[in-house]
């Protein structure tokens, strides 16, 4: 019998965990065994105590506790790292990812034709207008730069063991899960689902975390911004030549130069262009610095007993 591992990142989800576990236990999974790995990503509420309790009373459940909040991507990596099952399903425990969709994914995977089943959003009813506007803008920019299709993509997906192995072999620190699990290729299909509203609490993503994820993922998948710097330099050079020619003409006509405004403009414009370009180049150097340091992507402070027993 095949085994499926639910990989569940948890950040301050104490109020959602029990409902989530019950929802998995209440569905009939198509002829396969399952395990659940909860990764506590440095929660400050009592999520970890609940996970410990779950693993005491359920053989199928184990928990991994990270030493601090490393972010969802790292939590997912920690979960996939522990995966010995035939497939892993990445799922949120806040009630936004319907368990019925996970069952649908297993049904598709078990037939053996595909190795990745991605869930795509049909609708999204939890986010504010501004959030969805920026999310849409980011994903169109990202899709354009990386040439990967990200329209309505989510992290909610089933990965066959072969895909999990491939992902585990990635050495990069800057791990953008959704991007890389698409980049790897493999035979894939999609299912659609309605994103439900969060049951308790609010999204753990601050604007800062989201912006930094957006910047990290763009620099991880495309060097186009660097070419943009060169492009802007060329355009600026062209404009400077025109301004220079005009200044020469004015000079030979004997008129007194009236260049103050244009001088001020070019100075300020050149200055800002330089700073933006340095920022873009600096962003890439920063990424290289992070990669070269090769620090671990997550640190585990403890695991539940059943996990220790398993290994
Ligand atoms: N999460 C995490 N670490 C974080 C932020 C979130 O492990 O730093 C988990 C969270 O507990 C949830 C999942 O990632 O199970 C998705 O997070 P959230 O619901 O906050 O994001 P959204 O649904 O808004 O994308
Ligand atoms: Mg959520």
């Amino acid at each position: 019998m095949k085994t499926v591992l639910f990989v569940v990142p948890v950040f301050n989800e104490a109020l959602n965990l029990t409902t989530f576990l019950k929802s998995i236990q209440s569905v009939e999974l198509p002829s396969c065994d399952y395990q659940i790995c909860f990764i506590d990503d440095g929660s400050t509420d009592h999520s970890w105590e609940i996970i410990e309790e779950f693993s005491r009373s359920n053989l199928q459940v184990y928990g991994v506790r990270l030493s601090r909040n490393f972010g969802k991507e790292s939590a997912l990596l920690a979960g996939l790292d522990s995966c010995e099952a035939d497939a892993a399903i990445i799922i949120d425990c806040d009630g936004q990812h319907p368990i019925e969709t996970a069952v649908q994914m297993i049904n598709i995977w078990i037939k053996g034709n595909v190795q990745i089943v991605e869930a795509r959003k049909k609708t999204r009813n939890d986010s504010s207008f501004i959030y969805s506007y920026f999310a849409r803008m980011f994903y169109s920019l990202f899709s354009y730069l990386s040439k990967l299709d990200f329209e309505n993509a989510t992290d909610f997906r089933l990965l066959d063991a072969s895909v999990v192995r491939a992902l585990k072999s990635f050495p990069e620190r800057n791990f953008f899960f959704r991007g890389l699990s698409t980049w790897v290729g493999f035979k894939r299909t999609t299912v659609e689902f309605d994103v439900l509203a969060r049951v308790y609490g609010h999204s753990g993503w601050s604007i800062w975390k989201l912006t930094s994820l957006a910047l990290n993922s763009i620099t991880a998948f495309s060097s186009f911004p660097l070419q943009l710097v060169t492009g802007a330099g060329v355009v600026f050079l062209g404009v400077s030549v025109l301004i220079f020619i005009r200044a020469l003409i004015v000079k030979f006509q004997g008129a007194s130069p009236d260049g103050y405004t244009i001088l001020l403009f070019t100075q300020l414009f050149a200055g800002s262009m330089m700073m933006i370009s340095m920022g873009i180049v600096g962003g890439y150097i920063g990424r290289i610095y992070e990669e070269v340091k090769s620090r671990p992507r997550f640190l585990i402070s403890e695991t539940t007993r059943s996990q220790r027993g398993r290994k």
Side-chain angles (χ1 to χ4, degrees):
M1 184 114 83
K2 293 204 170 183
T3 317
V4 173
L5 174 72
F6 288 93
V7 175
V8 192
V10 177
F11 180 57
N12 293 342
E13 304 280 9
L15 295 171
N16 289 320
L17 284 172
T18 309
T19 321
F20 174 77
L21 183 65
K22 280 198 183 128
S23 74
I24 290 194
Q25 287 169 337
S26 65
V27 289
E28 184 101 10
L29 294 180
S31 62
C32 64
D33 286 333
Y34 74 92
Q35 288 179 324
I36 307 175
C37 169
F38 288 104
I39 308 98
D40 180 8
D41 185 19
S43 296
T44 48
D45 62 1
H46 54 289
S47 297
W48 179 246
E49 285 72 32
I50 299 176
I51 295 169
E52 277 188 315
E53 178 50 41
F54 283 172
S55 67
R56 268 195 293 273
S57 48
N58 281 283
L59 270 179
Q60 280 117 324
V61 176
Y62 66 91
V64 175
R65 187 183 204 180
L66 303 189
S67 62
R68 64 170 168 84
N69 178 242
F70 279 88
K72 185 179 177 183
E73 316 292 308
S74 297
L76 293 180
L77 272 174
L80 292 178
D81 219 37
S82 75
C83 177
E84 288 161 7
D86 300 300
I89 296 184
I90 317 297
I91 186 167
D92 290 356
C93 58
D94 55 5
Q96 292 195 278
H97 294 166
I99 190 70
E100 295 72 26
T101 309
V103 175
Q104 219 180 322
M105 290 174 177
I106 300 175
N107 272 323
I108 295 174
W109 164 75
I110 220 144
K111 290 186 193 132
N113 299 325
V114 292
Q115 289 139 316
I116 300 181
V117 188
E118 292 171 57
R120 279 175 186 254
K121 299 185 263 239
K122 240 192 292 182
T123 55
R124 173 148 201 154
N125 52 20
D126 67 325
S127 34
S128 67
F129 172 74
I130 297 181
Y131 178 91
S132 43
Y133 179 76
F134 277 106
R136 247 200 327 263
M137 212 169 74
F138 164 68
Y139 281 118
S140 2
L141 181 68
F142 188 85
S143 302
Y144 175 74
L145 292 177
S146 66
K147 310 282 177 278
L148 299 173
D149 180 15
F150 271 91
E151 190 75 31
N152 295 325
T154 63
D155 288 341
F156 186 21
R157 50 187 66 197
L158 179 147
L159 309 173
D160 183 78
S162 50
V163 182
V164 175
R165 254 196 313 280
L167 285 176
K168 280 197 218 170
S169 72
F170 278 68
E172 52 201 275
R173 315 289 99 195
N174 180 13
F175 195 91
F176 178 42
F177 176 76
R178 207 172 301 179
L180 285 177
S181 56
T182 304
W183 184 91
V184 289
F186 290 95
K187 277 185 275 174
R188 58 184 61 227
T189 186
T190 54
V191 288
E192 290 204 319
F193 76 109
D194 289 311
V195 181
L196 310 170
R198 221 173 203 287
V199 182
Y200 283 109
H202 51 81
S203 172
W205 292 94
S206 59
I207 290 288
W208 169 243
K209 266 194 194 171
L210 277 175
T211 315
S212 122
L213 178 70
L215 292 178
N216 281 348
S217 38
I218 286 178
T219 44
F221 274 85
S222 167
S223 55
F224 181 73
L226 286 173
Q227 292 156 20
L228 213 61
V229 172
T230 319
V234 171
V235 171
F236 191 63
L237 180 69
V239 174
S240 326
V241 169
L242 290 181
I243 292 172
F244 180 66
I245 292 172
R246 180 182 170 276
L248 275 184
I249 294 172
V250 170
K251 187 177 163 63
F252 286 123
Q253 280 170 346
S256 62
D258 61 343
Y260 179 71
T261 319
I262 208 123
L263 200 68
L264 189 71
F265 168 74
T266 41
Q267 279 294 321
L268 293 177
F269 188 71
S272 6
M273 290 282 281
M274 294 293 262
M275 279 192 253
I276 293 172
S277 311
M278 272 166 62
I280 294 177
V281 177
Y284 281 92
I285 295 179
R287 296 262 59 85
I288 298 171
Y289 177 56
E290 292 296 327
E291 298 293 332
V292 167
K293 278 193 291 187
S294 288
R295 287 194 183 154
R297 293 178 283 194
F298 55 84
L299 290 172
I300 294 174
S301 67
E302 56 187 305
T303 53
T304 58
R305 219 170 318 152
S306 50
Q307 159 73 350
R308 279 200 292 271
R310 256 168 33 87
K311 285 248 162 183

